[in-house]
């Protein structure tokens, strides 16, 4: 994991509930008004970000986690993507 992620950073709350998909590490840093290195550190270490969130990228999402998205009651209109 040394390449920057440009396709999307998934944001989850502390209960692992999906919140939003942001269009990459740099855009995630801008969205939260933090340094890029802080976003990268929390993704890499899988630690709590800003005392509220987990940041995950597709490579860290397990098949079970990905398949659980399709079983949620969220409609596509409730999935927010920021580019």
């Amino acid at each position: 994991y040394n390449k920057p992620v440009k396709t999307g950073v998934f944001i989850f709350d502390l209960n692992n509930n999906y919140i939003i998909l942001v269009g990459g590490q740099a855009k995630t840093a801008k969205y939260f008004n933090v340094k890029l290195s802080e976003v990268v550190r929390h993704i890499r270490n899988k630690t709590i970000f800003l005392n509220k969130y987990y940041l995950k990228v597709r490579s860290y999402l397990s098949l079970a986690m990905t398949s659980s998205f399709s079983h949620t009651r969220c409609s596509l209109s409730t999935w927010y993507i920021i580019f």
Side-chain angles (χ1 to χ4, degrees):
Y1 175 82
N2 291 325
K3 296 180 181 179
V5 175
K6 296 180 182 180
T7 58
V9 176
F10 295 84
I11 312 297
F12 291 84
D13 67 13
L14 296 179
N15 294 320
N16 259 346
N17 295 313
Y18 171 82
I19 298 174
I20 197 168
L21 172 63
V22 182
Q25 293 171 342
K27 291 181 183 176
T28 302
K30 186 175 181 179
Y31 179 77
F32 286 108
N33 196 28
V34 297
K35 292 182 180 179
L36 175 62
S37 60
E38 189 173 346
V39 170
V40 171
R41 184 177 67 244
H42 285 282
I43 291 171
R44 185 175 292 148
N45 296 330
K46 301 177 186 175
T47 55
I48 297 172
F49 177 69
L50 297 178
N51 298 317
K52 299 184 205 182
Y53 309 107
Y54 287 109
L55 307 179
K56 300 179 184 182
V57 294
R58 187 175 305 275
S59 61
Y60 288 141
L61 294 176
S62 68
L63 182 59
M65 177 71 77
T66 306
S67 65
S68 70
F69 288 154
S70 62
H71 299 297
T72 61
R73 287 185 267 166
C74 296
S75 67
L76 288 177
S77 62
T78 60
W79 285 61
Y80 300 104
I81 303 175
I82 298 176
F83 290 100

